[in-house]
Amino acid sequence: MRIDIITVLPELLKSPFEASILKRSIEKGLVEVHFHNLRDYTDKSYNQIDDYQFGGGAGMVMMIEPIDKCITKLKSQRDYNEIIYMTPDGNTLNQKMANSLSLAENIIILCGHYKGVDQRVRDTLITKEVSIGDYVLSGGELGAAVLCDTIIRLIPGVLNNETSALTDTFQDDLLAPPVYTRPADYKGLKVPEVLLNGNFPKIEKWREEQAYKRTKQLRPDLLEND
Ligand code: 6GU
Protein backbone atom coordinates (compact mmCIF):
# COMPACT_ATOMS: atom_id res chain seq x y z
CA MET A 1 0.00 0.00 0.00
CA ARG A 2 1.09 3.56 -0.69
CA ILE A 3 -0.18 6.50 1.37
CA ASP A 4 0.42 10.11 0.25
CA ILE A 5 -0.25 12.69 2.94
CA ILE A 6 -0.74 16.32 1.98
CA THR A 7 -0.12 18.69 4.89
CA VAL A 8 1.12 22.14 5.87
CA LEU A 9 2.82 20.58 8.92
CA PRO A 10 4.80 17.50 7.79
CA GLU A 11 6.98 17.72 10.92
CA LEU A 12 3.92 17.20 13.12
CA LEU A 13 3.07 14.00 11.28
CA LYS A 14 6.38 12.25 10.85
CA SER A 15 7.14 10.92 14.33
CA PRO A 16 4.29 8.35 14.58
CA PHE A 17 5.79 6.66 11.51
CA GLU A 18 9.25 6.51 13.08
CA ALA A 19 8.50 4.08 15.92
CA SER A 20 7.18 0.63 16.65
CA ILE A 21 4.68 -1.07 14.32
CA LEU A 22 4.39 1.70 11.73
CA LYS A 23 8.16 2.03 11.44
CA ARG A 24 8.58 -1.74 11.02
CA SER A 25 5.83 -1.96 8.42
CA ILE A 26 7.62 0.70 6.35
CA GLU A 27 10.99 -1.02 6.80
CA LYS A 28 9.47 -4.34 5.71
CA GLY A 29 8.19 -2.64 2.55
CA LEU A 30 4.55 -3.43 3.37
CA VAL A 31 3.58 0.23 3.18
CA GLU A 32 5.10 3.41 1.75
CA VAL A 33 4.21 6.75 3.30
CA HIS A 34 5.04 9.98 1.46
CA PHE A 35 4.60 13.49 2.84
CA HIS A 36 3.83 16.46 0.63
CA ASN A 37 4.20 19.97 1.98
CA LEU A 38 1.39 22.03 0.49
CA ARG A 39 3.63 25.11 0.54
CA ASP A 40 5.75 23.48 -2.19
CA TYR A 41 2.74 23.77 -4.53
CA THR A 42 2.08 27.50 -4.42
CA ASP A 43 3.51 30.25 -6.65
CA LYS A 44 2.28 32.99 -4.35
CA SER A 45 4.65 35.08 -2.26
CA TYR A 46 5.38 33.85 1.30
CA ASN A 47 4.27 30.38 0.14
CA GLN A 48 0.71 31.41 0.89
CA ILE A 49 -1.76 28.52 0.98
CA ASP A 50 -4.74 30.17 2.67
CA ASP A 51 -6.80 33.31 2.23
CA TYR A 52 -9.73 35.25 3.67
CA GLN A 53 -13.17 33.80 3.05
CA PHE A 54 -15.54 35.36 0.52
CA GLY A 55 -18.52 36.93 2.21
CA GLY A 56 -16.53 37.79 5.29
CA GLY A 57 -16.17 35.93 8.57
CA ALA A 58 -13.40 34.96 10.94
CA GLY A 59 -10.72 32.48 9.92
CA MET A 60 -8.69 31.63 6.87
CA VAL A 61 -9.61 29.07 4.23
CA MET A 62 -7.18 26.78 2.41
CA MET A 63 -7.07 27.69 -1.29
CA ILE A 64 -7.92 25.25 -4.06
CA GLU A 65 -4.92 25.92 -6.32
CA PRO A 66 -2.04 24.37 -4.32
CA ILE A 67 -4.25 21.40 -3.33
CA ASP A 68 -5.35 20.87 -6.94
CA LYS A 69 -1.73 21.05 -8.17
CA CYS A 70 -0.55 18.50 -5.62
CA ILE A 71 -3.42 16.05 -6.12
CA THR A 72 -3.32 16.37 -9.92
CA LYS A 73 0.41 15.61 -9.94
CA LEU A 74 -0.07 12.51 -7.75
CA LYS A 75 -3.01 11.30 -9.85
CA SER A 76 -0.92 11.64 -13.02
CA GLN A 77 1.58 9.18 -11.49
CA ARG A 78 -0.80 6.41 -10.34
CA ASP A 79 -4.45 5.61 -9.71
CA TYR A 80 -5.82 6.20 -6.23
CA ASN A 81 -8.58 4.19 -4.53
CA GLU A 82 -9.56 7.10 -2.30
CA ILE A 83 -8.70 10.76 -1.83
CA ILE A 84 -9.53 11.43 1.79
CA TYR A 85 -10.06 14.79 3.47
CA MET A 86 -9.55 14.84 7.26
CA THR A 87 -12.19 17.12 8.77
CA PRO A 88 -14.31 17.25 11.95
CA ASP A 89 -17.49 17.16 9.82
CA GLY A 90 -16.51 13.96 7.97
CA ASN A 91 -17.79 10.39 8.51
CA THR A 92 -16.63 9.15 11.88
CA LEU A 93 -13.80 6.63 11.63
CA ASN A 94 -14.67 3.14 12.85
CA GLN A 95 -13.19 -0.34 12.52
CA LYS A 96 -15.33 -1.17 9.50
CA MET A 97 -13.96 1.85 7.63
CA ALA A 98 -10.39 0.91 8.64
CA ASN A 99 -10.91 -2.67 7.43
CA SER A 100 -12.15 -1.49 4.07
CA LEU A 101 -9.38 1.10 3.60
CA SER A 102 -6.71 -1.48 4.51
CA LEU A 103 -7.54 -3.23 1.20
CA ALA A 104 -6.67 -0.14 -0.86
CA GLU A 105 -3.59 -0.01 -3.07
CA ASN A 106 -3.02 3.78 -3.04
CA ILE A 107 -4.66 6.53 -1.00
CA ILE A 108 -4.18 10.26 -0.61
CA ILE A 109 -4.93 11.95 2.71
CA LEU A 110 -5.41 15.73 2.78
CA CYS A 111 -5.13 17.34 6.22
CA GLY A 112 -7.46 20.27 6.82
CA HIS A 113 -6.47 23.42 8.68
CA TYR A 114 -7.87 26.80 9.74
CA LYS A 115 -11.55 27.09 8.79
CA GLY A 116 -11.13 24.22 6.33
CA VAL A 117 -10.67 24.03 2.57
CA ASP A 118 -12.45 25.85 -0.24
CA GLN A 119 -15.68 23.88 -0.80
CA ARG A 120 -14.71 23.30 -4.45
CA VAL A 121 -11.89 21.00 -3.25
CA ARG A 122 -14.45 18.86 -1.44
CA ASP A 123 -16.87 18.94 -4.37
CA THR A 124 -14.40 17.97 -7.09
CA LEU A 125 -11.20 16.38 -5.71
CA ILE A 126 -12.16 14.48 -2.57
CA THR A 127 -13.78 11.02 -2.58
CA LYS A 128 -14.15 10.46 1.18
CA GLU A 129 -14.32 12.72 4.24
CA VAL A 130 -13.18 11.35 7.59
CA SER A 131 -13.37 12.60 11.18
CA ILE A 132 -11.86 10.78 14.16
CA GLY A 133 -14.56 11.82 16.61
CA ASP A 134 -16.90 14.53 17.80
CA TYR A 135 -14.37 17.09 19.01
CA VAL A 136 -12.23 19.64 17.20
CA LEU A 137 -8.49 19.28 16.60
CA SER A 138 -6.23 22.15 15.51
CA GLY A 139 -5.66 20.39 12.21
CA GLY A 140 -6.17 17.11 10.40
CA GLU A 141 -2.61 15.83 11.02
CA LEU A 142 -3.31 13.97 14.26
CA GLY A 143 -6.46 12.56 12.70
CA ALA A 144 -4.42 11.39 9.70
CA ALA A 145 -1.93 9.69 12.03
CA VAL A 146 -4.78 7.88 13.80
CA LEU A 147 -6.32 6.85 10.48
CA CYS A 148 -2.99 5.55 9.14
CA ASP A 149 -2.34 3.57 12.32
CA THR A 150 -5.73 1.85 12.17
CA ILE A 151 -5.25 0.99 8.49
CA ILE A 152 -1.59 -0.06 8.49
CA ARG A 153 -1.87 -2.54 11.39
CA LEU A 154 -4.48 -4.44 9.35
CA ILE A 155 -2.23 -4.98 6.33
CA PRO A 156 -1.27 -8.69 6.22
CA GLY A 157 2.24 -9.21 7.56
CA VAL A 158 2.34 -6.01 9.64
CA LEU A 159 1.47 -7.68 12.92
CA ASN A 160 3.67 -10.61 13.91
CA ASN A 161 0.74 -12.82 14.81
CA GLU A 162 -1.70 -12.19 12.00
CA THR A 163 -4.63 -13.52 13.93
CA SER A 164 -4.18 -10.90 16.59
CA ALA A 165 -5.79 -8.13 14.53
CA LEU A 166 -8.79 -10.40 14.01
CA THR A 167 -9.34 -10.72 17.75
CA ASP A 168 -9.07 -6.97 18.38
CA THR A 169 -11.79 -5.14 20.18
CA PHE A 170 -14.49 -4.06 17.62
CA GLN A 171 -13.45 -6.61 14.98
CA ASP A 172 -16.71 -8.54 15.55
CA ASP A 173 -18.64 -5.67 17.14
CA LEU A 174 -17.53 -6.93 20.54
CA LEU A 175 -15.00 -5.55 22.99
CA ALA A 176 -12.01 -7.83 23.63
CA PRO A 177 -12.14 -10.08 26.72
CA PRO A 178 -9.88 -9.40 29.74
CA VAL A 179 -6.27 -10.65 29.50
CA TYR A 180 -3.81 -11.68 32.23
CA THR A 181 -0.14 -12.55 32.52
CA ARG A 182 2.17 -13.78 35.29
CA PRO A 183 2.04 -13.95 38.24
CA ALA A 184 -1.13 -16.03 38.63
CA ASP A 185 -1.54 -14.61 42.11
CA TYR A 186 -0.45 -11.05 42.84
CA LYS A 187 -0.99 -10.07 46.49
CA GLY A 188 -4.09 -12.25 46.54
CA LEU A 189 -5.40 -10.90 43.18
CA LYS A 190 -5.98 -14.13 41.28
CA VAL A 191 -6.15 -14.87 37.57
CA PRO A 192 -9.42 -16.69 36.68
CA GLU A 193 -8.90 -20.43 37.20
CA VAL A 194 -10.21 -21.37 33.75
CA LEU A 195 -7.20 -19.71 32.07
CA LEU A 196 -4.70 -21.80 34.02
CA ASN A 197 -5.87 -25.34 33.27
CA GLY A 198 -5.07 -25.61 29.54
CA ASN A 199 -8.60 -26.63 28.51
CA PHE A 200 -8.66 -24.61 25.31
CA PRO A 201 -12.28 -25.15 24.20
CA LYS A 202 -13.33 -24.08 27.69
CA ILE A 203 -10.99 -21.05 27.58
CA GLU A 204 -12.41 -20.03 24.19
CA LYS A 205 -15.96 -20.29 25.54
CA TRP A 206 -15.00 -18.23 28.62
CA ARG A 207 -13.44 -15.54 26.41
CA GLU A 208 -16.55 -15.30 24.25
CA GLU A 209 -18.75 -14.97 27.33
CA GLN A 210 -16.48 -12.33 28.81
CA ALA A 211 -16.39 -10.36 25.55
CA TYR A 212 -20.17 -10.36 25.44
CA LYS A 213 -20.50 -9.46 29.13
CA ARG A 214 -17.99 -6.60 28.84
CA THR A 215 -19.67 -5.25 25.71
CA LYS A 216 -23.10 -5.37 27.36
CA GLN A 217 -21.76 -3.54 30.37
CA LEU A 218 -19.53 -0.91 28.71
CA ARG A 219 -20.85 -0.50 25.15
CA PRO A 220 -24.42 -1.83 24.89
CA ASP A 221 -24.82 0.28 21.72
CA LEU A 222 -22.51 -2.15 19.86
CA LEU A 223 -24.95 -5.01 20.46
CA GLU A 224 -27.85 -3.05 19.01
CA ASN A 225 -26.38 -3.32 15.48
CA ASP A 226 -27.55 -6.95 15.17
CL1 6GU B 1 -9.80 14.72 11.03
N1 6GU B 1 -9.66 17.19 11.90
C1 6GU B 1 -9.93 18.15 12.78
N2 6GU B 1 -9.43 19.37 12.57
N3 6GU B 1 -10.70 17.99 13.84
C2 6GU B 1 -11.17 16.77 14.04
C3 6GU B 1 -10.91 15.70 13.17
C4 6GU B 1 -10.15 15.96 12.10
N4 6GU B 1 -11.56 14.61 13.62
C5 6GU B 1 -12.16 15.01 14.73
N5 6GU B 1 -11.95 16.29 14.98
Side-chain angles (χ1 to χ4, degrees), residues 86-88 112 130-140 143:
M86 300 304 302
T87 174
V130 177
S131 156
I132 63 161
D134 289 342
Y135 40 81
V136 177
L137 302 167
S138 316

Side-chain angles (χ1 to χ4, degrees), residues 141-181:
E141 282 75 14
L142 296 178
V146 168
L147 176 64
C148 288
D149 190 301
T150 63
I151 296 172
I152 291 172
R153 62 193 300 288
L154 295 171
I155 298 172
V158 167
L159 296 185
N160 295 335
N161 177 358
E162 274 196 44
T163 63
S164 74
L166 297 175
T167 55
D168 281 347
T169 277
F170 297 125
Q171 244 350 323
D172 44 12
D173 276 340
L174 289 178
L175 303 183
V179 291
Y180 298 87
T181 187

